[in-house]
Amino acid sequence: VCSSDLEIMDNAWRMINEIVGNLTSVVTGLLGLGVVGALLFDDFLGLNVVDNITALVDSLANGGVVGLLVLAILMSLLK
């Protein structure tokens, strides 16, 4: 394997990690905006964000080990 091939793959993985990180930041920001909007205006843009988050946490809590694994993966993505 040529060193230029390794550099290309390394650059590709860096770019993918950067894109995923940026998308995670955008989604986290939108989620925060949705929560604040829901607290201020009850139903923000027709979405009940707080109830959706509560339902997600409830389904993860009732999922047992699988729910715990999904929660751990989500938490690692947000760090």
Side-chain angles (χ1 to χ4, degrees):
V1 177
C2 185
S3 66
S4 65
D5 290 339
L6 292 176
E7 289 176 19
I8 291 171
M9 289 302 295
D10 190 43
N11 288 336
W13 281 115
R14 262 193 230 129
M15 187 170 38
I16 291 170
N17 278 336
E18 184 177 321
I19 290 170
V20 169
N22 290 338
L23 286 174
T24 302
S25 296
V26 168
V27 170
T28 304
L30 289 174
L31 185 63
L33 178 65
V35 169
V36 171
L39 292 175
L40 293 176
F41 306 112
D42 195 29
D43 276 342
F44 185 64
L45 299 175
L47 302 172
N48 198 341
V49 179
V50 175
D51 283 344
N52 289 340
I53 293 172
T54 304
L56 175 66
V57 170
D58 186 46
S59 67
L60 288 175
N62 290 330
V65 175
V66 174
L68 183 62
L69 288 173
V70 170
L71 184 61
I73 291 170
L74 289 174
M75 292 302 295
S76 71
L77 288 175
L78 293 176
K79 284 187 177 185

